[in-house]
Amino acid sequence: PSPPDGKGEAHACRAGVCVDATLVILTLSQFSAGAASGSYELHFTDGSVDTGAFVADVCGNTTMCG
């Protein structure tokens, strides 16, 4: 669930230790009525960085699922 303020959160858990993201960069490369795709870059409090790509279905008008 999202925090009450409506802002999202990101965490990474490795070997039972969870760290918070301090910076999230989300880049949309394609967006249509049915799907969105792009890339992400997550910076964590332990100095690690995760990057990757995503594809998500678009539900209704603007809500993304996936």
Side-chain angles (χ1 to χ4, degrees):
S2 295
D5 62 8
K7 296 179 182 177
E9 294 181 2
H11 313 278
C13 298
R14 298 176 186 97
V17 176
C18 297
V19 292
D20 295 330
T22 57
L23 175 66
V24 176
I25 300 170
L26 182 69
T27 303
L28 290 174
S29 56
Q30 292 188 341
F31 187 83
S32 68
S37 62
S39 60
Y40 62 87
E41 181 176 321
L42 306 171
H43 295 250
F44 296 97
T45 54
D46 66 355
S48 64
V49 177
D50 286 348
T51 60
F54 71 90
V55 175
D57 293 333
V58 176
C59 305
N61 292 334
T62 59
T63 304
M64 281 193 254
C65 304

